[in-house]
Amino acid sequence: MATQGRRQKFLQYEKSRGMCELLVHSRTPGGLVRRPVSFNHKIRSVIVKLTIILDGSKLFMEHIQHSKNIIQSIERMAQDYQEHIRLVALLLEKLLQQNDRTKAVFQNNTLVITLPSSMFAPHSPSKGRAQLWLSSVVGIDPELPGFDISEEDVDEQPIDLEYFKNLQHFLDHVDTLIESIGAS
């Protein structure tokens, strides 16, 4: 009788956690139940983009506006821009070392890099993790002007019944080809 009471408490506890549908409370091995699987749920994922300004005039206009000596401000601007491009080259080198396909696109004098999700493994991609990677691995302060990290929610297509029908059709076709080769 005490076992039945503990079982009821366990069921209430699991039900409150939303686990009731996953567990079988019978004497079946492993306590698992076969449930129908629904593929109509959309999977949400996040991609992290790093936008880098490549146009020096956008980055360093403050040098000219806040200086009385135009020659010194142009020299400082040139040094800062050279350092900025060095950091961009260092970043691209680190991304190449990752051996992942990194998507990079030029848009209006900026370089937009979509960071690969494998770079964040085993965690999900996030702006905070990208900032940490940028500062600790690459050695770039993510707060520097010209570097902007953003997150974008991406709705991935749900896996539906049509996908599995097409997959089965393909496998049947492969089986037919194998059988025809074996009959020859």
Side-chain angles (χ1 to χ4, degrees), residues 3-181:
T3 305
Q4 189 67 16
R6 276 187 264 148
R7 183 177 180 159
Q8 288 298 333
K9 286 181 183 178
F10 177 75
L11 285 174
Q12 282 295 56
Y13 174 71
E14 290 300 326
K15 192 172 186 179
S16 71
R17 291 183 50 215
M19 297 294 291
C20 192
E21 291 298 313
L22 296 176
L23 299 172
V24 168
H25 306 289
S26 67
R27 295 180 184 161
T28 59
L32 299 177
V33 172
R34 185 174 180 188
R35 300 270 187 228
V37 178
S38 172
F39 292 101
N40 294 329
H41 301 291
K42 287 193 173 185
I43 301 167
R44 307 232 0 120
S45 65
V46 174
I47 59 170
V48 178
K49 290 188 175 185
L50 174 60
T51 304
I52 304 167
I53 295 175
L54 298 176
D55 185 2
S57 64
K58 291 180 182 178
L59 278 173
F60 305 108
M61 282 303 289
E62 65 188 49
H63 288 291
I64 293 174
Q65 293 173 350
H66 299 291
S67 179
K68 293 180 181 178
N69 187 340
I70 189 96
I71 294 172
Q72 286 179 345
S73 63
I74 290 174
E75 286 174 347
R76 256 184 282 132
M77 183 179 75
Q79 290 170 350
D80 289 348
Y81 186 67
Q82 184 178 8
E83 177 64 13
H84 178 73
I85 295 300
R86 186 190 70 76
L87 292 174
V88 171
L90 178 65
L91 170 68
L92 294 174
E93 182 181 324
K94 292 289 184 181
L95 286 170
L96 284 173
Q97 290 173 358
Q98 294 282 325
N99 292 328
D100 289 323
R101 291 183 174 239
T102 303
K103 183 180 175 186
V105 179
F106 286 103
Q107 294 177 343
N108 301 328
N109 294 327
T110 62
L111 177 63
V112 180
I113 301 171
T114 303
L115 299 175
S117 58
S118 60
M119 188 177 92
F120 301 97
H123 305 288
S124 60
S126 72
K127 181 178 179 177
R129 287 190 182 98
Q131 289 172 330
L132 183 64
W133 178 80
L134 200 60
S135 64
S136 63
V137 175
V138 183
I140 297 175
D141 180 5
E143 301 300 320
L144 281 174
F147 292 93
D148 180 49
I149 301 173
S150 62
E151 281 183 6
E152 291 181 17
D153 288 332
V154 178
D155 288 333
E156 294 181 8
Q157 294 296 323
I159 299 175
D160 58 359
L161 188 57
E162 191 65 29
Y163 169 81
F164 290 105
K165 285 180 183 177
N166 290 336
L167 181 61
Q168 186 61 49
H169 179 69
F170 171 75
L171 293 173
D172 290 343
H173 183 68
V174 170
D175 287 342
T176 305
L177 288 174
I178 292 171
E179 288 173 3
S180 68
I181 292 172

